Each structure stands twice: as structure tokens, then as C-alpha cells.
Amino acid sequence: MSVESVFPRLEPHLLSVSKPIQYVGGELNMVSKDWDAAEVRWVLMYPDAYEVGLPNQGVQILYEVLNEREWILAERTYAVWPDMEKVLREQQIPQFTVDNHRPVGAFDLLGVSFSTELGYTNLLTALDLAGIPLHAIDRTEDHPVVIAGGHAAFNPEPIADFVDAAVLGDGEEVVLKISEVVREWKGEGRPGGRQELLRRLAVSGTVYVPQFYDVEYDDSGAIAAVVPNHPEAPDRVRKHTLMDLDQWPYPRNPLVPLAETVHERFSVEIFRGCTRGCRFCQAGMITRPVRERSIETIGAMVDNGIKKTGFEEVGLLSLSSADHTEIGDVATGLADRYEGSNVSLSLPSTRVDAFNITLANEFSRNGRRSGLTFAPEGGSERMRKVINKMVTEDDLIRTVATAYSHGWRQVKLYFMCGLPTETDEDVLQIAELAKRVIATGREVSGRNDIRCTVSIGGFVPKPHTPFQWAAQLDAETTDRRLQVLRDTVRADKRFGRAIGFRYHDGQPGIIEGLLSRGDRRVGRIIEQVWRDGGRFDGWSEHFSFSRWAESAAVALEGTGVDLDWYTTREREYDEVLPWDHLDSGLDKDWLWADWEDALAVGDGSSDVEVEDCRWTPCYDCGVCPEMGTEIQIGPTGHKLLPLSVV
């Protein structure tokens, strides 16, 4: 039975809200399919504003993969701003898709992609506006199955009450398998109702259904055990790993936004995974092993994307793009192909030790010579050894000297504050490093218009990393250290004006830490914050630390734990972590040994260094044998032939 569009009811109110274009839909390459002809219907959500959510490549890929199947329909929805939420509630209009303005509650499945935990409250807003009960146990077979994915879903326990299921890892293949299960269940007449559908998803071993697991706590408030309460639920749920990226060259038909978004470019993921071994980096740990796209596939994706979108900038994306084994040939081939056109190429943040001027020149051949971004992460050499970011100060200076001497005028350096074993002196070393960068730039270029921007984020320990046991630095100490650093930079009359300084307050990081390493009891906090008006917590103008702190005090009363217990407390080896039953492939003993190595490096009793296992013997992290995978790298020996420019 067809579902009517809510647009006739919505349209009269669009001029009363900010940026109404974000709710209209109709983007280039949008897919519109017949509701009645579809057997399985998905709505995909990125739980943030349209301008942030539309460029998200994960959602765009799944949108296309699903809609390529004749029997599947997929549409998109995003978080609505508070002014639109007010309109929807007053006019009794449900959360809708931007594609055809169909009610979200009418779909079979709601897939939510979480890049950050601070989007959790936006999920609750969408569920409530859609008329979907907040708690999974209150839903019937008439409600969509709510499935979480994305990096933040590797510990879905804080939202276990609100989602029906979670998927770990790559989504391209698993969304089709889930669709097959739903199709079969519906075709049989929905036997056993919603619980039977969830059972069928859970028995695969690759879809996590939280309600099939019980969490037991000991007298201190710590987790004693997480055990299945359903006879067919597996003890551990595995992540998905897509092994042949060349067979999945998506997106083939990228969405082109009507409104301005945070990224105005076409992006090609040139490889997935990272084995550099930075101990703080969850993305690098959970996406192992490395899987490269071939040079021919990259070239074809770039050519197709430019033709299908009209974008003039192409971003070659990965966690460390300059580490692609054929990046030199990729850069030269693309620069040759598009020389003299309006197409420019860009790389995201580049490792200091992977940068070379030839590569940089190729990427800037057709475009303007904008600033270069490097991420030393730690201010002192000791800190960089602790986090296994093996870049020396001299490495950085040599790199920026090369850049400044070849015409670049601006460099951006990214650091973190609050890393394990960090001292005030480690943070103040950031100022000394920035001053040396400016002095070097002036010397090699003979100019005084050299700039360096220092950007600092607070360190948040993440699950499935060696630092998952670390104590998070309290917000007060974070803010004090950054204040001293800023004052030190500004007080320098010779270099202060040439150094830009950007940093984040410590309080949002504490809440991100709560949500990152929280267990199911944190769901009570999320719900209380949402009921008290929490929305768009990833945006500084909407974030309220007092609201989170007060809600935590109320929600955790009588549990034996509090906000500090989740954040500023160091964990021990034998503690049961909330995500221990979720298998990212990483061996827990290996992670613990790497954590101990970090502490030993920090106190000077060791100088152990973990190399990139692409070029060294295996370090036994566990991923390849556990997941039945292997590192996939070039070179293929092929070249990228130029195409004539139209």
C-alpha cells in the first residue's frame, strides 16, 4: 500500500525555518523508486544536519548499493534543526525522508550511521518525531528495525536500549544480507513477528542484537559479565571486512547537494584500513587490514565522478592517503590527465614522513597552492613515541622547509592534549615546535608572510585501541594547559603573530569520553539529556556540559559509578569492558601489551617502536587470522593513461 508524501503539509512552513533548502530534496543523482514495487524499504540516516550528513560517503555508498537492487528501495533522512522540530511537532508532521518526503516510520529498516557518539541525542529526536518508540523493547513488527553502524557502533552499548541491532565494520555486503533476511521473513508472512526477524539477524553472527544479551554488574558497579540470553545468540559478534574494493567502486552516482555543505568536492576512497599502529587511533585499529584500490579503478572512479557531478575538486581519501603504494603514479597520472582543466586534486592530512615535494607539486599543478596539513599529534618527541607516531622534530622541520622553499606560505599542524603520561612541558613543546617552523619558513623562503596554524584537540580514549584502558585527562587540567600554551605563543613578539591557535574546550571531550567507553547505564543519561532539550551536541553552540553532568548525577544515582568513573579512571587488564563481546579482530592481549609498551616508553624504561606491518614481519595484532583476511597492497605496475580533457 502506497505511502503518501508529507510535502504538501510541510511546504507552507518552509519559509519559517532556517535553510529550508535542506529539507526539499531533488539533488542531482537522487533516486526515486516506486514504493509498491519494492519488497524491502530502507531509510538511511546520518544523525546530523543536512550540510554535514549529505557528503558522508558511507551513507552515499549504502544508498547506491541498496537502490541498485530492483527489489530494494532506499531513501535518506537527516537531523532537523530545532526550528524545524518545533514546526513538525506543532503541525504533527512526522520525521520524513528528503527524497520523497515519506514518513520514516513507514519503512522496514532505519539504518543510522554514527561517525561520532555526540550524535546519539539526534537519534532520539528522529525516533520520537517518526512515532517510533524510543526503547527497542516497546516496538512491534509495524515499526522499522533500527540498526546502528559506523565507527561509533563498535561500542553500541550506550544506545543499546534505543537500537534493535548494530553492525560492525564495512556495510556494503552486510546491508544486502540483512535485506535478504527481511525479504524472506516478509515473504513468509512475517512468522514469529519482530522477535523472529531479530533472531534471524542475530544467528548470522555478524549482526549484534543487544536485547539478546544480559549485562551483569558486581557490587562495585563494574561489569561482571555480558552473556547471551537467547540460545542461538553467539558469544561474540564479528565485524565485517570488505576484501576486494575494486569490485565495489562506489559511489558511481554521487549525490550533488542543492545547499552548501561542509565538503564541496567529489571524494574517492583510494584504500581502506591503516597499519601504522598509532595507539590513540580507533579508525586505524578497527579498519585493519589495509586494502588498496588499484590505480585503474581510482582513475575510473575519478573520471566518472567528475562527469556525474560537475565538482571541480577531487579528494583522494583514506586514513593516510600518501601511504598508497602507487600514490606517486596516481598523482602524476591524474595531474597529466586534467592539466589545463578546472579540475584540482587534494589530499587530506598528510603524514610528515610520507610527504615529498614531487607529490605536493603534482597535487597542486591545476589548483591553487593552499596550505598543507600535517599531524605530529604530540608536542614532544617523548609523546610521539608514547603514541607510536614515529616522527621526529627534525623530520617535521625538513618537511616544512621543503614546502616553504617551494612556494607554500602556510602550514597547519594538528596536535592532541591529554595523551597518556603527558605533562605540562610536553604541551609547551608545541609552542617551541611552531616557532621553529616559522623561523625555518622565513629562512628558506626569504619572506616574512609565513604562517603556521596550530590546531589542538582533546584526547578521548576509544574502544578497540591500546589506549582503551587509559585515564582521560580532566577538563580543568586540559583547559589550563591549553591556556598556558596560548599565552606562551601570544607573548612571543617575534613569532606570535605568525602562529594561529585553535583548540577545543575540555568539557565536550569528557562527554565524548563518557559515550565512547560507556555501558548500557549511560543510555539513561542520553535519554535524560534529550528530554531536557539536548540536541546537536557535536555543535559547540548547542552543547551544554552542565546538562550532561546533571543528567549523569541523576541517572547514575545508586549504581556505584559516576561520570568520573567512566572517564578519568584508568582500567585494569582483568576488567570486563562493555565491548569485549564485540569482535573487531584485534587480540585483547596484543592491545594490552601495546598499552604496557606505551607506558614503558613514557617512563623511559623502553624505546620499543611498532613498525607498519605492511613492510615488516607480522606483529600478531590478530586481525588477519581472526577475520580470515590479508593485507592487500600494490604495486600493480600499471600506469594511469591520460584522457583527453573536454
Side-chain angles (χ1 to χ4, degrees), residues 150-306:
H151 286 185
F154 272 77
N155 175 26
E157 291 301 278
I159 51 170
D161 290 343
F162 314 122
V163 299
D164 295 289
V167 170
L168 280 63
D170 302 327
E172 289 93 333
E173 293 174 321
V174 71
V175 292
L176 297 176
K177 292 178 181 177
I178 291 171
S179 300
E180 291 279 7
V181 172
V182 174
R183 180 193 204 183
E184 183 179 83
W185 174 75
K186 289 177 69 177
E188 294 173 3
R190 304 177 182 237
R194 188 181 191 87
Q195 287 301 105
E196 170 61 14
L197 174 58
L198 294 176
R199 184 198 68 80
R200 294 185 183 191
L201 293 174
V203 296
S204 68
T206 54
V207 176
Y208 174 52
V209 179
Q211 62 184 271
F212 290 164
Y213 296 79
D214 291 330
V215 182
E216 300 168 359
Y217 304 95
D218 63 25
D219 293 339
S220 72
I223 296 175
V226 180
V227 292
N229 59 32
H230 191 288
E232 294 180 84
D235 291 333
R236 286 171 64 79
V237 179
R238 305 186 308 275
K239 80 165 181 179
H240 295 260
T241 303
L242 188 70
M243 285 309 299
D244 190 349
L245 294 187
D246 279 353
Q247 296 300 312
W248 299 81
Y250 295 93
R252 289 190 175 108
N253 298 290
L255 292 161
V256 181
L258 298 178
E260 184 179 359
T261 59
V262 293
H263 296 303
E264 297 288 337
R265 67 186 178 208
F266 170 61
S267 297
V268 174
E269 184 185 29
I270 62 175
F271 72 90
R272 196 172 291 182
C274 182
T275 46
R276 285 282 191 167
C278 299
R279 295 182 173 113
F280 61 85
C281 183
Q282 184 190 47
M285 292 290 171
I286 63 177
T287 59
R288 293 180 175 208
V290 169
R291 292 144 286 149
E292 290 188 352
R293 279 198 165 102
S294 68
I295 189 170
E296 300 98 321
T297 300
I298 294 169
M301 290 177 71
V302 170
D303 182 55
N304 174 72
I306 291 170

Side-chain angles (χ1 to χ4, degrees), residues 321-382:
S321 295
D323 282 341
H324 191 288
T325 51
E326 295 182 292
I327 191 63
D329 289 337
V330 169
T332 301
L334 291 175
D336 286 347
R337 176 185 288 181
Y338 298 107
E339 186 165 15
S341 74
N342 60 352
V343 174
S344 63
L345 308 170
S346 66
L347 279 181
S349 176
T350 309
R351 284 185 64 98
V352 172
D353 50 353
F355 174 86
N356 65 72
I357 202 65
T358 303
L359 187 63
N361 281 332
E362 294 291 19
F363 275 99
S364 63
R365 203 196 298 180
N366 270 355
R368 59 188 177 87
R369 189 159 288 194
S370 57
L372 295 169
T373 301
F374 301 105
E377 311 291 0
S380 67
E381 206 145 312
R382 185 186 72 85

Side-chain angles (χ1 to χ4, degrees), residues 426-447:
D426 291 313
V427 176
L428 287 174
Q429 282 296 309
I430 295 173
E432 298 307 311
L433 195 55
K435 292 175 191 177
R436 192 176 170 196
V437 164
I438 296 296
T440 301
R442 290 173 179 174
E443 179 184 349
V444 299
S445 68
R447 302 173 62 112

Side-chain angles (χ1 to χ4, degrees), residues 324-490:
H324 191 288
T325 51
E326 295 182 292
I327 191 63
D329 289 337
V330 169
T332 301
L334 291 175
D336 286 347
R337 176 185 288 181
Y338 298 107
E339 186 165 15
S341 74
N342 60 352
V343 174
S344 63
L345 308 170
S346 66
L347 279 181
S349 176
T350 309
R351 284 185 64 98
V352 172
D353 50 353
F355 174 86
N356 65 72
I357 202 65
T358 303
L359 187 63
N361 281 332
E362 294 291 19
F363 275 99
S364 63
R365 203 196 298 180
N366 270 355
R368 59 188 177 87
R369 189 159 288 194
S370 57
L372 295 169
T373 301
F374 301 105
E377 311 291 0
S380 67
E381 206 145 312
R382 185 186 72 85
M383 284 312 308
R384 290 191 290 276
K385 289 181 178 179
V386 168
I387 63 178
N388 202 49
K389 189 91 173 185
M390 303 313 296
V391 175
T392 68
E393 184 171 324
D394 288 342
D395 289 336
L396 177 63
I397 296 304
R398 277 194 297 270
T399 298
V400 298
T402 304
Y404 285 133
S405 65
H406 282 76
W408 271 268
R409 295 286 169 263
Q410 181 158 330
V411 166
K412 182 177 180 180
L413 303 177
Y414 182 79
F415 298 91
M416 284 188 290
C417 177
L419 290 162
T421 79
E422 180 186 271
T423 65
D424 290 7
E425 184 57 34
D426 291 313
V427 176
L428 287 174
Q429 282 296 309
I430 295 173
E432 298 307 311
L433 195 55
K435 292 175 191 177
R436 192 176 170 196
V437 164
I438 296 296
T440 301
R442 290 173 179 174
E443 179 184 349
V444 299
S445 68
R447 302 173 62 112
N448 284 324
D449 61 345
I450 298 299
R451 293 279 301 168
C452 171
T453 300
V454 171
S455 182
I456 306 179
F459 166 66
V460 178
K462 294 286 184 175
H464 306 282
T465 71
F467 286 172
Q468 65 184 357
W469 290 280
Q472 187 173 356
L473 189 65
D474 63 271
E476 294 77 17
T477 306
T478 299
D479 291 343
R480 179 184 59 76
R481 284 180 180 169
L482 293 176
Q483 181 70 44
V484 172
L485 176 62
R486 186 182 68 174
D487 292 345
T488 301
V489 170
R490 288 181 174 176

